[in-house]
C-alpha cells in the first residue's frame, strides 16, 4: 500500500485563543503547517507552528511577546472508541474526524519557556520599583538577579519556633 499525504495551512490569531478558553495563551499570531501522512495502521500528523504569542511577564506582570517555533508529531489511528494513550490517539471509526485545534494550542503552549520575562530593562518600571522595595538579596545588595532574591523575613521570631529549631539542630 502506498503512503498518501495531505497538507493544510492555518492562521491562528486572538479569536482562536478566545475560543479555546485556556488560561495559558490568550493572544497571538501563529502560522500552522500540518501534514497528514496515511500509513498502514495509523495516520501521522506533523505540525510546524511558528509566530508569536502574548504571555504575561513573570517579573512585572505586563504582556510580553514570546516567539514560538516548534515541530510536533501526533499519531492517530481509528478504533472502536476514543482513547488518548501515551503514544497514539485513537478516534472512533464511526466519527473518523479529529479536531486539531486543541493540539495546535497545546503544542504552542508547551513550546513556551518555563519562565517568561521581558528582556533586561524592558519591564514595567513602576512594578520593578515596588518589587525592589519588597525584596532583599542574599548578597545584601539592592542589585542582583531575580534568582538571588529572598523574601524579607520578620524581624522578631515567635519564641515557639526557637524550641523547634533546637530539635532540628540536634539531628
Amino acid at each position: 500500500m502506498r503512503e498518501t499525504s495531505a497538507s493544510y495551512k492555518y492562521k491562528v490569531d486572538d479569536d482562536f485563543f478566545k475560543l479555546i478558553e485556556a488560561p495559558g495563551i490568550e493572544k497571538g499570531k501563529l502560522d500552522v503547517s500540518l501534514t497528514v501522512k496515511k500509513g498502514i495502521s495509523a495516520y501521522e500528523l506533523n505540525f510546524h507552528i511558528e509566530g508569536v504569542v502574548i504571555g504575561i511577564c513573570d517579573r512585572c506582570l505586563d504582556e510580553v511577546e514570546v516567539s514560538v517555533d516548534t515541530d510536533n508529531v501526533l499519531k492517530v489511528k481509528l478504533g472502536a472508541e476514543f482513547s488518548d494513550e501515551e503514544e497514539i490517539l485513537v478516534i472512533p471509526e464511526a466519527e473518523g474526524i479529529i479536531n486539531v485545534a486543541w493540539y495546535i494550542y497545546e503544542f504552542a503552549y508547551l513550546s513556551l519557556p518555563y519562565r517568561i520575562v521581558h528582556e533586561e530593562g524592558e519591564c514595567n518600571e513602576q512594578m520593578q520599583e515596588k518589587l525592589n522595595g519588597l525584596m532583599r538579596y542574599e548578597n545584601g545588595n539592592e542589585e542582583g538577579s531575580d534568582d538571588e532574591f529572598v523574601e524579607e523575613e520578620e524581624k522578631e521570631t515567635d519564641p515557639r519556633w526557637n524550641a523547634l529549631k533546637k530539635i532540628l539542630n540536634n539531628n
Side-chain angles (χ1 to χ4, degrees):
M1 180 181 252
R2 191 178 72 150
E3 248 189 36
T4 59
S5 68
S7 295
Y8 303 92
K9 301 247 184 233
Y10 302 102
K11 296 252 185 223
V12 172
D13 60 11
D14 297 350
D15 293 334
F16 170 83
F17 294 112
K18 285 178 188 167
L19 289 172
I20 289 289
E21 296 180 354
I25 303 173
E26 295 178 8
K27 298 178 186 175
K29 291 188 185 286
L30 299 173
D31 293 317
V32 180
S33 297
L34 171 61
T35 304
V36 180
K37 293 180 183 176
K38 182 180 179 189
I40 295 172
S41 63
Y43 293 87
E44 185 176 278
L45 284 66
N46 293 290
F47 294 83
H48 176 73
I49 304 169
E50 63 182 285
V52 294
V53 296
I54 306 299
I56 301 298
C57 178
D58 291 331
R59 195 181 300 141
C60 72
L61 304 178
D62 276 358
E63 292 183 345
V64 61
E65 275 192 5
V66 181
S67 295
V68 172
D69 189 358
T70 184
D71 292 299
N72 301 90
V73 176
L74 179 66
K75 293 187 182 205
V76 179
K77 72 177 184 178
L78 299 174
E81 60 184 46
F82 180 83
S83 172
D84 194 1
E85 299 172 11
E86 282 186 36
E87 296 194 19
I88 194 159
L89 175 69
V90 179
I91 58 172
E93 196 166 347
E95 288 179 27
I97 297 173
I98 181 171
N99 183 345
V100 295
W102 178 255
Y103 297 101
I104 292 170
Y105 168 81
E106 194 173 74
F107 294 145
Y109 182 73
L110 291 173
S111 75
L112 297 179
Y114 175 72
R115 189 161 182 245
I116 298 173
V117 292
H118 284 102
E119 293 292 324
E120 194 64 38
E122 293 183 16
C123 275
N124 181 317
E125 288 180 27
Q126 291 175 332
M127 182 62 89
Q128 279 298 115
E129 287 173 14
K130 287 187 186 267
L131 286 173
N132 288 338
L134 297 172
M135 291 184 199
R136 184 188 74 191
Y137 295 92
E138 287 184 37
N139 60 10
N141 297 334
E142 291 281 323
E143 299 291 320
S145 71
D146 288 341
D147 295 333
E148 295 175 349
F149 76 84
V150 293
E151 292 183 21
E152 188 68 39
E153 294 179 22
E154 293 181 25
K155 295 186 184 195
E156 293 183 27
T157 305
D158 188 330
R160 294 175 285 186
W161 290 110
N162 292 334
L164 291 173
K165 286 181 184 176
K166 289 179 188 174
I167 294 171
L168 288 174
N169 292 335
N170 287 338
N171 292 328

